[in-house]
Amino acid sequence: MFPKPKRIKDPGALEEVRNSPCIICGKTPSDPNHIRSVGSGGGDERWNIVPFCRVHHCEWHLRGVTEMILDYPQVMQWLIDWGWEFRIDIWHH
């Protein structure tokens, strides 16, 4: 049996993201959007949380990362700036 990894919780990082403008449209406040979801073990590390307004946060969940990257180049640039790497078969941090 594999133990479930302990989730990293960082209220300060979440607050920082809430006070940041949406990386797509610049609106504030922002919703903290986890790249690696909480359900899949993603924590509140700053590199794992993107500031999106509510509209773009919902769009991310409806359309997915690939569509967001294709439609909004600033999403890919943000991910690259925070250390995410992209390959043809998979992307990861």
Side-chain angles (χ1 to χ4, degrees):
M1 183 178 292
F2 296 100
K4 184 175 181 177
K6 184 173 172 94
R7 177 175 173 233
I8 295 173
K9 296 179 183 180
D10 186 344
L14 294 173
E15 187 63 25
E16 178 185 337
V17 172
R18 283 185 191 100
N19 292 321
S20 299
C22 173
I23 65 168
I24 295 173
C25 69
K27 291 182 183 175
T28 56
S30 290
D31 287 347
N33 181 71
H34 291 83
I35 305 302
R36 183 176 296 144
S37 71
V38 172
S40 66
D44 295 342
E45 298 96 344
R46 188 61 186 88
W47 55 262
N48 191 44
I49 311 169
V50 178
F52 284 140
C53 67
R54 180 63 48 93
V55 170
H56 289 115
H57 189 176
C58 291
E59 185 177 357
W60 172 278
H61 287 287
L62 288 171
R63 299 180 66 214
V65 64
T66 302
E67 292 297 319
M68 293 295 283
I69 287 171
L70 291 172
D71 285 351
Y72 305 107
Q74 60 270 50
V75 172
M76 179 181 268
Q77 188 60 55
W78 187 96
L79 293 168
I80 291 168
D81 290 347
W82 281 91
W84 289 88
E85 297 176 7
F86 294 84
R87 297 187 312 213
I88 292 183
D89 60 334
I90 191 168
W91 58 279
H92 63 89
H93 188 275

